[in-house]
Amino acid sequence: MRADARRNYARILEVAIEAFAAEGLSVSVHEIARRAGVGTGTVSRHFPTKEALYQAIVQARLEQLAQRARELAASAPPGEALFEFVRFMVTEGATNRGLAEALGGAGFDVETAAADTGLDFGAMLRGLLVPAQRAGEVRADLDQADVKALIEGCLARERGGIDPAARDRMLAVTIRGLRP
Amino acid sequence: MRADARRNYARILEVAIEAFAAEGLSVSVHEIARRAGVGTGTVSRHFPTKEALYQAIVQARLEQLAQRARELAASAPPGEALFEFVRFMVTEGATNRGLAEALGGAGFDVETAAADTGLDFGAMLRGLLVPAQRAGEVRADLDQADVKALIEGCLARERGGIDPAARDRMLAVTIRGLRP
DNA sequence: TCTGAACCGGAACGCGCGTCCCGATTCTAC
DNA sequence: GTAGAATCGGGACGCGCGTTCCGGTTCAGA
């Protein structure tokens, strides 16, 4: 790979991460190309599709999330590990419109993007949920899709603007509801 | 208004209600015209804009919701009235994609549509929430936007397909969380 | 330095959307 | 029955999107 190509690849990715986080998935490929100071063809060559561009971003992000999940599982009691992960996801989503939209299935889906990269968001969540249920700290009838939807609800609250106080209220209500 | 115009108006509205409920707000105006057996011009004349068409639908629906809210406020204790309304909204939204999307702000917003028609969804929710809080049956720190977001969370669970059992779980978690 | 392969930029394309326009049609009042 | 106004149908338009293409440019190895 030529040096200029590698530079452009990195720059496009960098700009796209920022743009998707700030404005959501609806930012156009043209706009990303413009901000990166390259032509649209250059974007298309490195990422044949808008979805491919987004997948490249999601992949890196999911690895971070998975690592966070592992840390929590190792360092906290099962219930608290799940609750803390929920808090983490909501905080991330509140400041990252692209992530929030992907969780909500608007545009591309996290799970689809994850599946293509070998990671599995659902399994990750289940890995925290099941131990918490076994420990009796979370209702036994719930599945990981329920938890994901509850996270989406928390994110919905801040769609009109960041509001940490509201976020805390939503998290309190949600975590309270998760308990048996 | 000519008789045929009135007929077309009604038919378009009828088809649009069904289409938006079944497929969401992304159904095209062309498609609605096709299904109604009229030209696209006829739709545009009666409803100058796609948003205007959706507003006409929302208006009627909001009046139903408002009536339901009044009934509940009159016939049930404050806490139960709010909980039952939440259940009602979630059940409605689960079988009506257009309503769910409008609540989620994808496409047009219920509140915007409501504001233009003199109805106010937020105020409606507040009218049930505040008495429930006064009665000590719901956390005092929540506002109506919180409740709306929690409803959205419940709806998110069924985005991939109707699942009444999951709906009951989500409602149980949510209502549990609302309590002080 | 020179050459050719890799890479670039952005105009061009196809698509589907919402909206507008106008000749043809249909209803209604007389 | 007839005139004329109201209404209709659907082709045409403009827009923005994601994607493709290709003539020009830049890099890197000999």
Side-chain angles (χ1 to χ4, degrees):
Chain A
M1 200 173 184
R2 248 168 61 172
D4 54 344
R6 204 163 39 237
R7 258 201 315 277
N8 281 332
Y9 181 96
R11 173 123 189 82
I12 291 165
L13 210 50
E14 181 189 351
V15 165
I17 288 172
E18 198 177 343
F20 283 149
E23 278 129 88
L25 302 179
S26 66
V27 196
S28 75
V29 173
H30 284 253
E31 180 61 20
I32 288 170
R34 202 187 58 76
R35 293 191 199 174
V38 302
T40 59
T42 304
V43 176
S44 285
R45 201 169 321 104
H46 289 306
F47 307 97
T49 254
K50 187 179 181 178
E51 187 160 3
L53 173 56
Y54 185 65
Q55 254 185 37
I57 296 173
V58 159
Q59 183 169 17
R61 176 54 68 110
L62 271 185
E63 271 157 25
Q64 287 177 251
L65 291 179
Q67 192 187 333
R68 180 86 177 132
R70 277 192 300 270
E71 281 172 22
L72 287 169
S75 70
E80 199 47 45
L82 176 66
F83 300 151
E84 193 54 39
F85 186 72
V86 170
R87 284 192 200 99
F88 180 69
M89 283 297 301
V90 171
T91 306
E92 287 290 294
T95 52
N96 187 330
R97 249 181 96 172
L99 182 62
E101 287 177 17
L103 269 173
F108 319 123
D109 192 26
V110 242
E111 316 239 18
T112 312
D116 291 3
T117 61
L119 288 162
D120 183 345
F121 184 73
M124 196 163 101
L125 213 47
R126 204 162 30 227
L128 288 166
L129 174 62
V130 171
Q133 289 174 317
R134 275 205 235 282
E137 300 201 52
V138 167
R139 294 170 61 112
D141 58 345
L142 302 178
D143 62 25
Q144 93 278 357
D146 298 340
V147 177
K148 189 185 160 201
L150 289 166
I151 291 172
E152 286 184 48
C154 292
L155 292 177
R157 179 57 181 81
E158 292 188 75
R159 204 170 287 144
I162 294 182
D163 183 344
R167 187 186 311 159
D168 288 343
R169 294 199 302 273
M170 292 298 292
L171 281 167
V173 169
T174 298
I175 289 171
R176 184 85 195 323
L178 285 173
R179 291 211 152 89
Chain B
M1 200 171 185
R2 246 167 62 173
D4 56 342
R6 203 162 41 236
R7 257 201 315 277
N8 281 331
Y9 182 96
R11 175 124 187 81
I12 290 166
L13 210 49
E14 181 188 350
V15 166
I17 287 171
E18 198 176 343
F20 284 148
E23 278 129 87
L25 302 179
S26 67
V27 196
S28 75
V29 172
H30 285 254
E31 181 61 21
I32 288 171
R34 202 188 58 78
R35 292 191 200 174
V38 303
T40 59
T42 304
V43 176
S44 284
R45 201 168 323 102
H46 288 306
F47 308 97
T49 255
K50 189 179 181 178
E51 187 159 4
L53 172 55
Y54 184 65
Q55 254 185 36
I57 295 173
V58 159
Q59 183 168 19
R61 177 53 69 111
L62 271 185
E63 270 157 26
Q64 288 177 251
L65 290 179
Q67 193 187 333
R68 180 83 177 136
R70 277 192 300 272
E71 282 172 21
L72 287 169
S75 70
E80 199 47 47
L82 176 66
F83 300 150
E84 193 55 38
F85 186 72
V86 169
R87 283 192 201 98
F88 180 69
M89 282 297 300
V90 171
T91 306
E92 288 289 295
T95 54
N96 187 331
R97 248 180 97 172
L99 182 62
E101 287 178 16
L103 268 174
F108 318 124
D109 192 27
V110 242
E111 315 238 20
T112 311
D116 290 3
T117 60
L119 289 163
D120 183 346
F121 183 73
M124 197 164 102
L125 212 47
R126 203 160 33 222
L128 288 167
L129 174 62
V130 172
Q133 289 175 316
R134 277 204 234 283
E137 301 202 52
V138 168
R139 293 169 61 112
D141 59 344
L142 301 178
D143 63 25
Q144 93 279 355
D146 298 339
V147 178
K148 189 186 161 202
L150 288 166
I151 292 172
E152 286 183 49
C154 292
L155 291 177
R157 180 58 181 81
E158 291 188 76
R159 203 170 288 145
I162 293 181
D163 184 343
R167 187 186 312 158
D168 289 342
R169 294 198 302 274
M170 292 298 292
L171 281 167
V173 169
T174 298
I175 289 170
R176 186 85 195 323
L178 285 173
R179 292 213 152 91

